[in-house]
Structures are given as structure tokens and as C-alpha cells.
Amino acid sequence: MLLKTSLRSFFAHKGRMALSLIAVVLSVAFVSGTLVFSNTATSTFDRLFASTASDIAVRPAKPDPDEEDRPRAQVATVPAATIAKVASGAGVKQALGQVFVENAVLVDPTTNKQIGPTGGAPTLAGNWTETPRNSVEITSGHVPQGADQIVLDADTAKKAKLGLGSKVRIITVANGTHDFTLAGIATFKTTNPGAALAFLDTATAQQDLLGKAEYTSVEVFGDGSRSNEQLKADALGSLGAGYDVKTAAEQKEENNKSVGSFLDFMKYAMLGFAGISLLVGGFLIINTFSMLVAQRTREIGLLRAIGGSRKQVNRSVLVEALILGVLGSTLGLGAGLGLAAGLIQLMNAVGMHLDAADLQIGLNVPVAAYTVGIVITVLAAWIPARRASRIAPMAALRDHGTPAEARSNTVRTVVGLVLTAGGGGLLVLAAGADKAATGGQFLGLGVLLSLIGFVVLGPLLATTVVRVLGAGLPSLFGPSGRLAQRNAMRNPRRTGATAAALMIGLALVIGATVFTSSAVESTNQQVDKSVGADYVIASSQGVLGPEMVEAARRTPGLKHVTEQKDLGRLKIAVPDGRTVRTRVAAVSATFTDDFQLPVKSGTADALAKGSLAIGEDMARDFGLKVGDSVTLDYGQGRSQSLPVGVVMAKGDSLFNGATFVGIDTLAKAVPAGEIPADGQLYAKAAAGADVSRTLGLLEASLKDYPQITVQDKAGYKDLVQQQINTLLYMIYGLLGLAIVVAVLGVINTLALSVVERTREIGLLRAIGLSRRQLRRMIRLESVVIALFGAILGTGLGLAWGITGQQVLKDQGLATLAVPTGTIVVTLVASVVIGLVAALVPAFRAGRMNVLAAIATD
């Protein structure tokens, strides 16, 4: 009986459920699509790594984890004799020496443009070997034969528009520039993970890529008589220390980690934004069922009058929500497959080749889809269902319509004020916190509590704010304006819930914009204040070879070129015996001419005289002051005792957490062959030289190295802004789904309110309100609701963004920038959203038959 009643009620009101269904479908599609894409990508790479990994791989011993990310010109290698030692072991069928480096750059000499990816996936150059598990096969031409031949993977050759016989150049940091002729094209047997591959013959790869007759690894394949673990143990036994040996399973796990970090970032970021859209969709569903319950007051009263219990009425509404959840989840799951295919095409466009025909729909996909869709729908419908169960049998005798809210709002007011005050207090504590980590924790809790507080207070704020927003409507639009204002105030709970959906999305947009605008402005001011260099020279590889540095030095019109070398995270011993790991950079003596250090104590020129420059936080945490002696451990038994010459004040992102030592000072403790290559160069124009003209000359000097970028101050600022804007636009795009769902909520509220007020609309038309005035009334009501949500969202977003800036003010985000243009655009956009959302409801209301509307029960 209960199920039959619920089914009949659901299908009788299916039109009114449509927009709630769309909200569930969109949110579930985002979740399921993200999971399907993640499963497909993970499965594809699993197959690639499993099908290409050797039984064991012998590599040089790994460096200290703190030195692993140090840019290196020289690649670690294993001696050629390693092959014979490993090949003689029991159960070994084949042992091959392999050369592969990631620090080479591929260039098309005819265009002088870089070939292959410039970020993300690597460019791998190495030797061609025939193994039982090659990842590629020659599909055009032949394998490299001789010192002037090269093979490229098919995807790289196609993108660069290269064919057999084309010229290809390889630039290495340590071993110079080499030109080749394209002799063959190789195609991936499984999938291309997005990398560019270049193959040379073994002798050429050793000479041109390594500069010596050694290998980067030895790949070993067994004959099946011994397990991979036994092969590994045998190899370690014969080779001794200084090697890192991994089985096929360990290689696969290592490769999956490197790819998985990117895929996990994508997955969790998208699921996070899907969660926001689910939250927004929850308000839409609450409104839908609240209005349906209100419209069915007489119907529910009749059910109670003929013996229906409160529990049965409650279950009846929840069963309708369950049907909506199941249907929305099913459709969303299907839409998610389409979204996953779209994401795969997007990845293909950027070079990560996945097969959309091989979507992996694991058990986690339907489980997540139905759990999310059903749980959010049923939870959202619980409050309206609870209200429905309290409708008394005598309600069957009332006229159809929304019952007046007799219940006191005291509890809502108290709870809302407590939550909002608590959230505001936490935001204040966050802004005043001494440490960014502590401030970040307060900020997260403050955002959560203030958001919930505004949602709870929304219906109470609606009456006051809507009255103010609509104050001018009667004088501007006459009866239509007055009715629109009163309609928006008629049911504050409904208006508050509708506006809350829009508020959440806009608050996040405004908060992110304030934060990113402050980051850009802070960086610009710090560059103007601290950077004296006219040019910044950097490479996409992270290292600059000696010939590149010399080419820059030879540029006419330069006063000097300053070098900066990344030494990695070095261990520093302080006088009281404690040690700390911190990133250290070695710089030329002219560094303090190119940068104005934020000196808190000491003098900047002490750096060039053999002293150390440390940050304020390090000095405070370890009780260091100018003149104290500390010991730097450079690794490999090299160490040096140096005095602290300058303590740098915090608050400048260019120097936060930095520690500097002079290159001349470093050279006294570390042999020239062990000193890392330059990571970045800074140059200053000579007195009287034209800065713009010298920029052109510097670019011309480095034109043979397309991986190098040369920027003046304005270009550097533009680069920072582009990087931040990329992040901001990604956030905008992902929040777009929440905004769409919020707009659906406004449409849904208006559409259902038109149905609810059918008789009222008929009476208005009967006493002389024209269709045009009626449509205008609904449009104005929609605009007022949208503006209400936009104002609340703007207030919250400003509070969050400003607090975020204050939390990081000592980390370089020193300048607050409030994007007034974005705020104005947001408020104007909310008006447009209100007008667009009202189009269909206003059109339907205007087409109502007057007599039929009056006769509606």
C-alpha cells in the first residue's frame, strides 16, 4: 500500500521532480565519470608497466632522499662490467645494458622549436635494445645504425611533423649538442603515457648522452627457473654495495607511484568539486520536497484521516526520494561514462594516450554512484518528510496551499548565531595566528562553521535583506514590483534555501579570486622591491649547462651574470648539537647586487665574504644569531663550518625558507666536478645600455637553446600571473557545475511556486494583471532571490579570501587585493542568472488559462 501510494505520487508529480533529477544526475555523473577515468588510466598504465618491466633491473644506488630532487647535469650510471657479472648468475637468460636520460632536449633544427612535451610527461632519450618486452616496435624505417641516426616514437614525430630523413637535434647539459637524421619511427605496443622517446644506437647513446661507456641500468630477464626475488638476491650478492636492484613488481609499483600522484590529484580534486555540487543539489532537493509536501497538505491530511500513521506518511515521502535517487543515480552513471570518455579525449589531446573504448567500470563506480545519489537524495528529503508526518488529519479540511509557519524561529536563530559567531571567531583567530599551519586549521574550521551558520540564518536574513533589495521595485515596476518583493518574502525558508545554493558557489569563487589576486599583487610588489636584476634566465629542464652560461656571458651590454645552484636539502648542525634539513642555494658574489635581501640582522655583503644567509624562522627556532658558527654537510663526506652573516626577515616569498651560501665559499669544500650545474641565471644590463635592446641580444645569444626562457621584470610578472590564472580558471571551471545546479534550484523554486500559486495567478489575471506584468513579476522575484544569494556569497567569500591572505602574509602574501571588478561582475551575473532562471516559469505562468487557474483546487 505504502509503495503503491509513493509510486503514484511520484509519477503524478514527475514534472515537478525533473530539475531535482537533473541535479542528482549531474552530481552522480561527476563522481562516476571521475572514478571511471581514474580506473581506466590506472588499468592502462598497469598493463603498460607489467608488459614492459624486466624481471630485475640493476641501477645505481639511490641518492639521499633529501638530494633526490637536486637538479643534476650528470646522470648516475653503472659500469659496463655489471652486465657480465649479472649475466653469469643462475637462471639468467639475458642481461642488457640500457641508457635512458631525462635531461635531454629534442629540437627540430629547421624551426629551432622544442619537440615533445615541455612540462608534465618527460622526454626520454636512450639506446635501442631488443628485449623480450619492448614497449615499442619499429613501424617505419629501421633501428638506429651509426652515430648520425635516431628513432622517434610515432606520436612525437606526428606532432612535430617529422618524417624519415628529417633532422633532429639533441641538446644535453653535460655533453653538448648533437644532430641526427630520423631513420625510424616506433609505435607503442600498448599505450603512450605522454612521454617523447628518442633512440640512438648504444655506443652513440653512451657517448652523446652520458659521456662515458657505461649504462644507466642493466635489465635482466630470467629463464623461468628462478623467481624474481631469487634473481634479485643473486644479483645483490654478486654486485655488492652501491646498487639498487628492483624486481618487476617493484618496478611496476615505482612507476605507478609517479603516474598515480598526478592521477590521484585529478581524481580527488574533481571529487571535491563534485561534493560541492552535491551539497548545492541537496538544497534543491530540500526545496522540491518541501514545496511538494506543502502543495499536498490536503492529500496528506486525507491519508491521515483514513488511518495513515505518521510513520507511513514519513516513509511515503522518503520512498519517493529513494525512487528519485535510484533513477538519478542510474542516469548519472550512464552520463558519467560519457564524461569519462570526454576526459580521456582531453588527456589524449595533451599527449597521454588512453583508449575510450576500454573504459574500466569497477565495482567502486556503481557503488559510489548509487551511494552518493541515494544518500544525498534521501537525506535531503528527510526534513520535508518529517514535516509531512506532522500534518494533522484536520488538514484535509483546509484549502490547498502552503500552511503558515507557526513554529517559532528561536531555535534557528540561536543555532545560526552561535555557528556564525563561532565561524567568525575562528576566522579572526586564523588571521592573527603566528604560524601558517595553525592559521590554516582555524581557517578551515572557520569556513565550515560560517558556511553552516549562514545556511541556517538564511531564512531569517531573507526577510530583511529581500525587503531592502526589493525596496525600489514598487516605484520602478508598479504592481509587478510590489508583488515580486512580497512573493520573495512570503516563504523565507524557501527563499533562504534557494539562495544558499547560489551562495555556496559564489562564495568559493569570490574567496578564490581574492586569494589569487592578493598572490599576484604581492608577487608584483616583491619583484619591484627586491629584484634588481634586469633579466631572469631559466630552462625547462631545471639546469643550465656551462656552454649556455658562457653564451649568456658573451652577450654585449651586460654588466654581469649571476649564477644560482640548487644544492638540495642539506643537513646543518647548529652550536647546541641539533641538526636541521633545509634547502640551500649557492649564489655568485653579485647576487646581492641583483636582489635586495630583506635583512633583519647582519649585512647582505657578508654572503660574498664567506658567511651564510639564513631565514628568520630558522634563526628563531634554533636560537641562531649573526656570528654563530654552523656546519653544512654537503654529502659524500664534504662539510664546512661557516658563520651566520645575515638573517633574512620573513614575509617575502622570494626568500621565505631560503638559505644561501656563496659559490666561491662552496668551492673551498666541494671539488668542481661535484658542484651542481646552475639552476637559474640573473643578469643586469650595463650602465647606459638599452634594457629592451639588450634583452633582444640576450635572447639571440641563447637562440640555439629553445628550452631556455629569458624574461625581464615585466615578463616575469606576466608568467606568475599566467600560472596563478591557470589555477583560478580551473577552479572556476570545476565550480561551474555547482553554479549550474544552483541555477537549476532557482528555476525549480520558481516553477513549483507557479504551480503552487495557480489559483492566485488566475485571480490576479482576473482582476486586471496583464500577462506582461505577470511575467515581469516572476522575473523580478527571481532576480531578487539571485541577488540575495550573491550578496551572501560575496560577503562570505570576502571574509574567507581576506582571512586566507592574512594567514599567509608572513609567507609572501603580504598585500591584500580585493578584486572589485570581479565582485561587480558577480553581482551583475546574478541578475542575469535570475532573469535566465525565470524564463520558463514566467512563460508558463503567462500562458495559464484564467478560468482554469481560478478553478484549480
Side-chain angles (χ1 to χ4, degrees):
M1 176 67 181
L2 176 65
L3 179 61
K4 188 179 293 185
T5 302
S6 299
L7 285 171
R8 285 181 176 176
S9 176
F10 180 86
F11 287 109
H13 302 100
K14 57 183 179 293
R16 305 179 194 182
M17 296 280 194
L19 294 178
S20 294
L21 179 66
I22 293 173
V24 176
V25 169
L26 289 175
S27 300
V28 171
F30 216 85
V31 172
S32 58
T34 299
L35 293 177
V36 170
F37 167 75
S38 177
N39 289 351
T40 302
T42 301
S43 173
T44 300
F45 286 115
D46 279 348
R47 291 198 303 271
L48 171 65
F49 299 143
S51 64
T52 58
S54 57
D55 291 332
I56 62 169
V58 180
R59 304 168 184 168
K62 281 192 170 184
D64 188 298
D66 290 302
E67 299 180 21
E68 243 182 320
D69 61 347
R70 179 192 297 177
R72 297 174 184 275
Q74 293 288 350
V75 179
T77 58
V78 296
T82 308
I83 298 176
K85 289 182 182 179
V86 175
S88 63
V92 176
K93 180 180 180 180
Q94 186 179 23
L96 298 168
Q98 194 166 76
V99 175
F100 261 118
V101 300
E102 294 186 28
N103 63 356
V105 176
L106 301 179
V107 177
D108 180 355
T110 59
T111 62
N112 201 37
K113 290 184 178 179
Q114 193 168 339
I115 299 171
T118 56
T123 295
L124 302 175
N127 65 325
W128 179 272
T129 55
E130 295 289 348
T131 76
R133 299 172 197 157
N134 266 8
S135 60
V136 294
E137 58 185 354
I138 299 292
T139 53
S140 180
H142 56 79
V143 300
Q145 300 166 353
D148 64 341
Q149 294 188 359
I150 191 171
V151 169
L152 293 180
D153 71 274
D155 295 312
T156 299
K158 182 179 179 181
K159 286 180 183 176
K161 298 180 180 179
L162 299 175
L164 297 180
S166 297
K167 298 299 180 181
V168 178
R169 179 172 296 155
I170 291 184
I171 302 174
T172 65
V173 173
N175 299 292
T177 300
H178 309 277
D179 289 335
F180 301 91
T181 300
L182 187 58
I185 293 176
T187 302
F188 278 85
K189 294 179 179 179
T190 50
T191 184
N192 180 357
L197 298 186
F199 299 95
L200 313 173
D201 68 22
T202 298
T204 305
Q206 289 176 319
Q207 178 63 35
D208 294 351
L209 302 179
L210 302 179
K212 51 189 173 183
E214 295 188 349
Y215 300 95
T216 53
S217 70
V218 174
E219 306 299 321
V220 181
F221 300 88
D223 60 11
S225 62
R226 295 174 70 79
S227 69
N228 291 350
E229 292 294 339
Q230 290 174 318
L231 291 174
K232 175 180 177 178
D234 293 344
L236 288 172
S238 63
L239 294 173
Y243 294 90
D244 179 38
V245 182
K246 291 190 179 296
T247 63
E250 290 169 337
Q251 295 174 61
K252 177 184 172 184
E253 182 182 0
E254 183 180 53
N255 289 328
N256 277 336
K257 279 183 180 178
S258 60
V259 176
S261 59
F262 168 71
L263 295 177
D264 285 346
F265 171 78
M266 278 193 65
K267 180 172 77 173
Y268 293 123
M270 293 178 66
L271 288 177
F273 285 99
I276 294 170
S277 68
L278 281 169
L279 177 62
V280 172
F283 288 107
L284 193 159
I285 295 166
I286 288 173
N287 257 6
T288 298
F289 279 93
S290 294
M291 296 177 78
L292 288 176
V293 166
Q295 293 167 22
R296 290 158 51 193
T297 300
R298 175 178 286 186
E299 175 189 324
I300 293 171
L302 285 171
L303 283 174
R304 293 293 313 283
I306 61 174
S309 66
R310 285 187 172 184
K311 187 178 291 186
Q312 285 177 314
V313 171
N314 185 299
R315 286 178 181 173
S316 174
V317 176
L318 291 179
V319 168
E320 290 182 48
L322 178 63
I323 297 169
L324 178 67
V326 170
L327 184 58
S329 299
T330 304
L331 295 176
L333 182 58
L337 299 181
L339 176 62
L343 288 172
I344 286 173
Q345 293 302 320
L346 179 62
M347 290 297 101
N348 289 345
V350 299
M352 183 185 287
H353 293 277
L354 304 172
D355 187 1
D358 188 30
L359 295 179
Q360 298 296 310
I361 309 171
L363 182 62
N364 65 328
V365 177
V367 168
Y370 283 101
T371 300
V372 165
I374 291 172
V375 168
I376 193 68
T377 308
V378 172
L379 282 179
W382 180 79
I383 296 175
R386 192 162 168 265
R387 286 191 203 132
S389 69
R390 294 182 175 182
I391 295 176
M394 291 301 292
L397 304 179
R398 294 198 196 113
D399 284 340
H400 176 72
T402 307
E405 290 185 21
R407 189 177 174 184
S408 172
N409 284 319
T410 304
V411 174
R412 176 183 289 272
T413 303
V414 171
V415 172
L417 288 174
V418 168
L419 288 171
T420 304
L426 285 168
L427 293 179
V428 171
L429 288 175
D434 291 332
K435 293 186 177 181
T438 305
Q441 293 173 345
F442 285 143
L443 175 61
L445 288 172
V447 167
L448 181 63
L449 289 183
S450 59
L451 175 62
I452 297 173
F454 264 60
V455 169
V456 174
L457 286 176
L460 303 175
L461 294 171
T463 303
T464 303
V465 177
V466 169
R467 180 178 285 111
V468 173
L469 289 175
L473 294 182
S475 58
L476 290 173
F477 300 101
S480 297
R482 185 178 300 278
L483 288 169
Q485 181 193 32
R486 291 182 177 179
N487 285 335
M489 294 167 53
R490 175 188 294 186
N491 194 321
R493 181 176 291 175
R494 181 188 305 164
T495 299
T498 305
L502 198 57
M503 174 190 75
I504 294 170
L506 294 180
L508 291 169
V509 166
I510 295 295
T513 306
V514 170
F515 185 84
T516 53
S517 297
S518 299
V520 170
E521 186 62 27
S522 297
T523 301
N524 288 344
Q525 290 192 10
Q526 286 160 8
V527 168
D528 291 336
K529 176 183 176 182
S530 302
V531 179
D534 294 311
Y535 316 107
V536 178
I537 304 162
S539 167
S540 60
Q541 304 301 110
V543 282
L544 296 155
E547 75 280 5
M548 302 174 191
V549 178
E550 284 308 310
R553 289 190 192 280
R554 289 194 299 268
T555 303
L558 289 184
K559 179 181 179 182
H560 65 249
V561 173
T562 299
E563 302 171 58
Q564 178 172 318
K565 302 173 184 289
D566 184 4
L567 304 182
R569 289 172 55 82
L570 301 185
K571 184 188 292 184
I572 300 180
V574 299
D576 64 6
R578 290 183 291 170
T579 60
V580 59
R581 284 274 187 183
T582 188
R583 184 167 292 280
V584 179
V587 294
S588 304
T590 52
F591 183 75
T592 50
D593 293 335
D594 291 331
F595 290 91
Q596 182 179 340
L597 299 185
V599 177
K600 184 175 181 66
S601 60
T603 57
D605 59 359
L607 180 60
K609 298 176 181 178
S611 295
L612 196 67
I614 64 173
E616 180 182 352
D617 286 339
M618 181 178 174
R620 182 196 62 214
D621 293 343
F622 292 90
L624 296 173
K625 62 184 183 300
V626 172
D628 288 346
S629 182
V630 298
T631 301
L632 271 72
D633 184 353
Y634 297 114
Q636 299 183 353
R638 319 283 185 189
S639 62
Q640 190 175 38
S641 181
L642 298 174
V644 174
V646 57
V647 175
M648 297 177 290
K650 60 183 179 180
D652 190 325
S653 61
L654 299 176
F655 304 105
N656 273 340
T659 300
F660 295 110
V661 63
I663 291 178
D664 293 339
T665 306
L666 171 71
K668 295 177 182 178
V670 179
E674 295 179 16
I675 294 178
D678 293 324
Q680 211 158 23
L681 300 177
Y682 310 102
K684 195 174 185 66
D690 184 290
V691 176
S692 298
R693 182 175 178 275
T694 305
L695 173 63
L697 293 173
L698 184 56
E699 289 173 334
S701 299
L702 297 168
K703 65 180 176 59
D704 291 335
Y705 309 104
Q707 74 271 32
I708 292 179
T709 57
V710 182
Q711 291 167 324
D712 56 11
K713 286 186 183 180
Y716 182 73
K717 290 178 183 178
D718 289 342
L719 176 64
V720 171
Q721 183 153 4
Q722 288 171 12
Q723 292 171 340
I724 292 175
N725 284 346
T726 299
L727 173 64
L728 184 62
Y729 295 149
M730 183 183 72
I731 293 173
Y732 284 170
L734 292 172
L735 283 174
L737 177 63
I739 302 294
V740 168
V741 174
V743 172
L744 290 178
V746 178
I747 297 172
N748 186 64
T749 299
L750 291 172
L752 290 179
S753 69
V754 166
V755 174
E756 180 181 88
R757 288 157 26 201
T758 299
R759 176 185 283 183
E760 175 188 319
I761 290 171
L763 290 170
L764 287 172
R765 293 276 287 115
I767 62 175
L769 194 71
S770 67
R771 286 183 174 178
R772 184 176 181 181
Q773 288 175 312
L774 177 63
R775 290 170 181 158
R776 182 183 295 160
M777 175 190 78
I778 294 173
R779 286 196 296 269
L780 292 174
E781 180 182 349
S782 176
V783 167
V784 168
I785 293 174
L787 266 176
F788 173 50
I791 288 172
L792 293 185
T794 299
L796 270 182
L798 284 172
W800 297 346
I802 292 170
T803 305
Q805 180 269 328
Q806 289 294 305
V807 168
L808 296 176
K809 64 183 177 183
D810 289 335
Q811 308 301 313
L813 216 68
T815 305
L816 174 65
V818 177
T820 53
T822 301
I823 293 173
V824 171
V825 169
T826 300
L827 295 176
V828 172
S830 68
V831 174
V832 175
I833 287 172
L835 291 172
V836 171
L839 287 177
V840 174
F843 179 75
R844 287 185 59 191
R847 292 188 54 144
M848 281 185 184
N849 181 283
V850 176
L851 294 178
I854 294 172
T856 299
D857 184 14

